[in-house]
Amino acid sequence: MASLFSTFPLLRRAAPRISKEFFTCQAARHTALRHRNVQQVLESLPIQRTFRSGKPRTQTALLGAGIAPEAVSPLSSLSRTIRNVREKTSRKAFFAETSDKAVAYWLLGSAASVFGLVVFGGLTRLTESGLSITEWRPVTGSLPPMNAADWDSEFTKYRSSPEFKQLNPRMTLEEFKSIYYMEWGHRQWGRAVGLTFILPAVYFIARRKVSASMAVKISGIAGLIGFQGVLGWWMVKSGLKDDLFAPGSHPRVSQYRLTAHLGTAFICYTAMLWNGLSILRERKLLADPVAAEKTFSILRSPELKVFRRSVAGLALLVFCTAMSGGLVAGLDAGLIYNEFPQMGLGLTPPKSELFSDFYSHTADGSDIWWRNMLENPSLVQLDHRILATTTFTSVLGLWAYAKFSPTLKSMLPAACKRGIHGVVGFVWLQVILGISTLIYLVPLPLASAHQAGSLALLSSVMILGGRTWVPSRASRLVAQKLAKSTPVSKKAVTTSFGRFPNVSMGGNGTSMGAANPGV
């Protein structure tokens, strides 16, 4: 054997290697190699290099190299990211994502109170009680006169007003008390509306029961209530000076200020109603986001674009008609031409009466058109008739469009169809009340009901709009909720081992690498 190795020296050097290959289990050898490869892969990960580095980098060395220590460790980077997210969440989480249901009921209750206040304000004007209190004292005026001396003082102030001198020179103290309490009650109701809105608003915002956008809207409504009080006194003040109307004419407040006061009340009421209903609708949609998204997809369809815009135009038309009614009330234009549909000998008065030079304040007559439209009782009543007839025709046209159009008949949600029927009912009621008020020379019950009917009609149109228009905020929240609730696919779940084709998790999670061949 020795002579064999001496003869073939290469065989001497290859013998140990050949013997090892002959007496080694190849399956075990391949398994060991695969495990060693996996270990090398794991040690190459950044987190392993950080904690197993033979030469740890000190904070001084990192700072000297211009590298922040937090940026080296993945765990510190992760903690920093979590801390930033928590800080952003804490800043944004002051307001709730959705407003509480109690806020919606409070807004609807406030809207009902404003509705009653508008109707009571109309009664105050119809009974000519609005000029009985000649001062504006927001705090001290909360209490009525408490003794005979206080009543004599208030009555003396009223006797110096143009209304007493020209209309009520024989009024007694007892008669004065009746109109005084009417105006005092109207102002007290206004104060109650302000307090019952501002105090709960502060509570709901402080207790984080409203969303951020709703907090801004509520603050705007609160400011509008305060502005409405100032506007009311500005209106009353116009009837206490005889230089604001023609000498010898009927003392009354400015029809411009009266309409501004009425319009602000309508806007305040509509804002309360709309936001209260929006909260309830938003919560209902978020309770079933799948059904809400289906409804949104229908309402967004191009086939309903004309219907959506028609509802918006109808709401604007109803508001303008109501404001023209304010001009009619301010000018007592309902006391002339008490027949319908004619006005005198024809459908309209003569042109010379409608555009009279009497109402022009310029030598060239450049303001004859707009001054007659806003100050001439004959033309103001004609404008109101035209707007009311247009509103009535538009409502019936929208109802016919939704009923006889095959596309709308099949696509329009049932809630929208019910809303159209409600609008049709209210517009018929309002037309009947308006004609009756005109024919019977503006009796107190009919005139008050007619004013309430205008607000009810506007409410029905806004409710229809809430069922027809797609709310952007609710749509966004529904989309976010659907995205969060969508299940994650198995294929989308990856681990750090998925980057290496030779490394996989075994069925029991303990074996690594390809399926081990038998030994």
Side-chain angles (χ1 to χ4, degrees):
M1 180 65 68
S3 60
L4 181 63
F5 286 138
S6 62
T7 306
F8 301 94
L10 295 176
L11 184 62
R12 174 190 291 270
R13 289 193 297 268
R17 186 176 298 175
I18 294 174
S19 62
K20 185 181 293 186
E21 294 291 333
F22 283 164
F23 294 98
T24 301
C25 177
Q26 297 299 321
R29 183 172 178 270
H30 289 311
T31 303
L33 289 174
R34 283 193 295 269
H35 287 178
R36 186 164 60 252
N37 292 336
V38 171
Q39 185 176 2
Q40 293 175 357
V41 168
L42 292 177
E43 289 178 352
S44 66
L45 296 176
I47 189 170
Q48 293 291 337
R49 291 200 304 268
T50 302
F51 291 103
R52 295 191 179 186
S53 176
K55 296 180 179 180
R57 306 175 71 177
T58 61
Q59 183 173 358
T60 306
L62 293 173
L63 293 175
I67 303 175
E70 297 84 2
V72 177
S73 173
L75 292 180
S76 62
S77 177
L78 179 62
S79 64
R80 186 171 63 253
T81 303
I82 295 175
R83 183 172 63 253
N84 293 337
V85 171
R86 286 180 176 177
E87 289 175 357
K88 293 180 180 179
T89 306
S90 62
R91 287 195 298 266
K92 293 182 180 180
F94 180 83
F95 295 105
E97 185 180 23
T98 58
S99 301
D100 194 88
K101 191 179 293 186
V103 180
Y105 294 142
W106 161 66
L107 285 172
L108 293 178
S110 299
S113 182
V114 173
F115 187 100
L117 181 59
V118 171
V119 176
F120 192 77
L123 290 173
T124 303
R125 191 201 62 81
L126 290 170
T127 56
E128 298 182 347
S129 305
L131 300 178
S132 58
I133 301 179
T134 58
E135 294 178 340
W136 189 50
R137 294 173 296 174
V139 179
T140 58
S142 301
L143 297 176
M146 306 301 294
N147 49 51
D150 293 339
W151 279 113
D152 289 337
S153 175
E154 293 296 326
F155 192 34
T156 301
K157 297 174 184 177
Y158 177 69
R159 284 199 296 264
S160 62
S161 66
E163 184 180 70
F164 177 84
K165 294 177 181 178
Q166 298 185 30
L167 296 180
N168 304 316
R170 294 182 177 84
M171 177 177 283
T172 63
L173 179 61
E174 294 301 321
E175 293 173 341
F176 170 73
K177 289 182 180 180
S178 63
I179 63 172
Y180 185 94
Y181 276 123
M182 197 77 176
E183 173 64 13
W184 179 82
H186 179 62
R187 296 191 183 189
Q188 287 297 102
W189 198 335
R191 292 185 179 96
V193 167
L195 290 177
T196 56
F197 189 89
I198 294 176
L199 295 181
V202 173
Y203 169 80
F204 285 131
I205 294 176
R207 298 292 295 177
R208 306 177 184 180
K209 293 184 176 295
V210 296
S211 61
S213 59
M214 187 56 62
V216 174
K217 295 174 183 177
I218 289 175
S219 301
I221 297 174
L224 191 62
I225 293 175
F227 175 71
Q228 175 72 344
V230 177
L231 199 60
W233 168 246
W234 183 60
M235 176 195 67
V236 171
K237 190 177 179 180
S238 65
L240 299 177
K241 295 182 180 180
D242 52 5
D243 57 346
L244 295 180
F245 41 85
S249 63
H250 190 293
R252 61 168 64 94
V253 298
S254 168
Q255 74 273 18
Y256 299 111
R257 302 185 187 186
L258 173 64
T259 305
H261 187 54
L262 180 66
T264 308
F266 268 58
I267 294 174
C268 186
Y269 165 79
T270 305
M272 293 176 179
L273 177 68
W274 176 260
N275 287 292
L277 294 177
S278 298
I279 293 174
L280 295 179
R281 187 189 185 197
E282 185 177 285
R283 296 181 67 89
K284 183 179 179 180
L285 292 172
L286 292 176
D288 191 356
V290 177
E293 187 61 30
K294 291 180 180 179
T295 304
F296 288 158
S297 63
I298 295 175
L299 295 177
R300 290 193 193 101
S301 60
E303 290 81 0
L304 297 181
K305 184 177 181 180
V306 175
F307 183 82
R308 294 194 303 267
R309 292 185 175 181
S310 299
V311 174
L314 182 61
L316 181 61
L317 182 59
V318 171
F319 180 81
C320 292
T321 305
M323 295 304 99
S324 70
L327 292 175
V328 172
L331 294 171
D332 289 329
L335 298 177
I336 60 175
Y337 293 113
N338 302 105
E339 61 267 353
F340 189 85
Q342 291 186 327
M343 296 182 69
L345 300 178
L347 293 177
T348 64
K351 183 179 179 180
S352 59
E353 180 181 348
L354 294 178
F355 298 98
S356 175
D357 296 335
F358 175 78
Y359 298 97
S360 177
H361 292 183
T362 59
D364 58 354
S366 58
D367 60 345
I368 189 173
W369 287 89
W370 69 268
R371 283 199 178 274
N372 276 276
M373 292 182 66
L374 300 176
E375 298 178 2
N376 186 346
S378 299
L379 186 55
V380 167
Q381 187 189 128
L382 178 62
D383 292 339
H384 186 62
R385 290 190 182 205
I386 293 174
L387 287 172
T389 305
T390 305
T391 301
F392 178 73
T393 307
S394 300
V395 171
L396 294 185
L398 186 64
W399 170 80
Y401 177 51
K403 184 175 180 60
F404 298 108
S405 174
T407 304
L408 265 67
K409 193 173 182 180
S410 59
M411 294 186 60
L412 202 62
C416 296
K417 296 179 180 178
R418 293 193 299 268
I420 296 175
H421 295 158
V423 174
V424 171
F426 277 112
V427 78
W428 271 108
L429 177 63
Q430 183 68 349
V431 167
I432 294 173
L433 288 173
I435 296 175
S436 301
T437 302
L438 182 66
I439 293 176
Y440 291 102
L441 298 176
V442 196
L444 188 63
L446 286 177
S448 180
H450 185 53
Q451 183 176 6
S454 64
L455 206 52
L457 178 59
L458 181 61
S459 303
S460 64
V461 176
M462 296 303 298
I463 292 174
L464 174 61
R467 299 175 180 181
T468 305
W469 306 321
V470 179
S472 58
R473 185 177 187 277
S475 178
R476 184 179 69 254
L477 293 177
V478 168
Q480 292 176 358
K481 191 169 185 180
L482 285 176
K484 292 180 181 179
S485 62
T486 302
V488 183
S489 174
K490 266 190 172 182
K491 295 182 180 180
V493 180
T494 58
T495 63
S496 60
F497 301 103
R499 294 177 293 177
F500 308 102
N502 294 330
V503 182
S504 63
M505 294 297 297
N508 56 3
T510 57
S511 62
M512 302 177 66
N516 295 336
V519 179

